[in-house]
Amino acid sequence: MPQDELFSDKDYWENRWKKNSIEFHCQTNHKLLVKHLEKLTNNRENLKIFFPLCGKALDMAWLSSLGHFIVGVEFSSEAVEDFFKENKIDYKTFDSDKFKIYQSQDGRIKIYRGDFFDFNNNFEDSFDCVWDRGALVALPKEQREKFSQIVQSLLKPEFRYVLDAFDYDTNLYHGPPHVVTLEELEKLYGSKCKIELIEKQFYHRIFSESLKDKPPIELLYLLTNF
């Protein structure tokens, strides 16, 4: 089996969470999100923000504290439960079709525990914004088109979608996180979205020793409607 497939299935990620092998988890609010928050929100309030493959991202609690409504989808129950416990957020749970839903008592954070590819707009009304940190790049190439179709089906007409991507020498490392090029983004989203590069920098954490002499590049994109 190609490494691209082996390291991208949901069983692999769930196993990483069970073993607490989660070096990919960001221990603080994502610095580029903090820096470019206005790109995501356009200085609006009370937005509904989608976190696909959310893990236990601290950004969910932060954006909720700013007055926004957060919806995540995550396969690992460990990740979801850790999020609420570590952020000391009281929550309740209930079932909805193929998902177990965890919702904060104030109703501002809701995480669907289950397979992202079972999620659709029957579960939630449309979203104002998407923060994609580690979702698209976690998936093998053959699943990214379906992922992008689901995300696009969930967006309001006036949406803002900030996506964190990487570029590196794939001869040295195959992922994850995987390389997602601008050309691929154009194929996935270009028919509906204007795509703008808003930040480019060397990535501050090396996710493979094979890249230590040739660090990955982190790329932050803003996707909006035309």
Side-chain angles (χ1 to χ4, degrees):
M1 178 183 292
Q3 187 182 29
D4 196 274
E5 296 179 10
L6 176 66
F7 287 100
S8 295
D9 64 9
K10 60 181 183 290
D11 292 332
Y12 167 79
W13 290 114
E14 184 178 35
N15 190 49
R16 289 279 297 267
W17 280 103
K18 285 183 181 298
K19 293 182 175 180
N20 200 36
S21 179
I22 53 171
E23 298 81 7
F24 52 84
H25 171 64
C26 190
Q27 301 286 346
T28 63
N29 294 325
H30 196 284
K31 292 181 180 179
L32 291 185
L33 177 61
V34 174
K35 180 179 179 179
H36 296 287
L37 179 61
E38 76 286 349
K39 295 287 188 182
L40 181 69
T41 66
N42 203 24
N43 295 313
R44 294 172 295 165
E45 299 178 348
N46 296 312
L47 297 174
K48 187 176 182 182
I49 303 177
F50 187 45
F51 279 68
L53 311 186
C54 61
K56 58 176 182 178
L58 295 176
D59 302 320
M60 293 190 288
W62 177 54
L63 289 174
S64 173
S65 74
L66 298 180
H68 302 297
F69 294 88
I70 308 302
V71 176
V73 178
E74 171 57 48
F75 188 71
S76 168
S77 57
E78 283 82 6
V80 179
E81 292 174 8
D82 283 354
F83 168 76
F84 286 99
K85 292 174 183 176
E86 291 173 9
N87 290 283
K88 297 179 173 57
I89 299 173
D90 293 330
Y91 66 94
K92 56 187 177 182
T93 64
F94 50 96
D95 294 326
S96 178
D97 195 15
K98 296 180 180 181
F99 292 93
K100 181 176 181 179
I101 300 175
Y102 294 70
Q103 181 172 296
S104 62
Q105 292 292 353
D106 64 6
R108 286 193 169 270
I109 302 176
K110 185 190 299 183
I111 301 178
Y112 287 77
R113 209 298 298 174
D115 191 334
F116 176 85
F117 293 104
D118 291 327
F119 195 74
N120 57 56
N121 54 16
N122 291 323
F123 294 100
E124 289 287 334
D125 293 332
S126 299
F127 292 92
D128 299 291
C129 306
V130 180
W131 168 230
D132 181 340
R133 188 266 170 180
L136 185 67
V137 298
L139 298 172
K141 192 167 187 176
E142 62 268 23
Q143 291 184 348
R144 291 176 204 150
E145 182 176 3
K146 185 176 180 182
F147 172 91
S148 69
Q149 290 171 348
I150 291 173
V151 172
Q152 289 177 85
S153 73
L154 300 170
L155 300 174
K156 289 183 178 179
E158 298 291 331
F159 65 87
R160 300 180 75 82
Y161 179 170
V162 176
L163 187 152
D164 195 36
F166 295 100
D167 189 21
Y168 54 79
D169 187 344
T170 54
N171 292 313
L172 299 175
Y173 179 67
H174 300 291
H178 302 292
V179 167
V180 177
T181 64
L182 177 58
E183 180 182 10
E184 184 177 354
L185 289 178
E186 291 285 0
K187 289 179 181 178
L188 295 176
Y189 297 102
S191 63
K192 184 172 182 177
C193 304
K194 174 185 174 183
I195 303 173
E196 175 190 356
L197 177 65
I198 56 177
E199 183 92 17
K200 180 178 181 179
Q201 64 178 21
F202 285 110
Y203 192 50
H204 63 282
R205 291 189 296 173
I206 305 302
F207 36 74
S208 171
E209 282 297 309
S210 60
L211 294 173
K212 64 181 180 180
D213 296 324
K214 197 174 182 181
I217 302 294
E218 185 174 21
L219 303 139
L220 197 71
Y221 293 97
L222 172 65
L223 286 62
T224 56
N225 63 318
F226 292 107

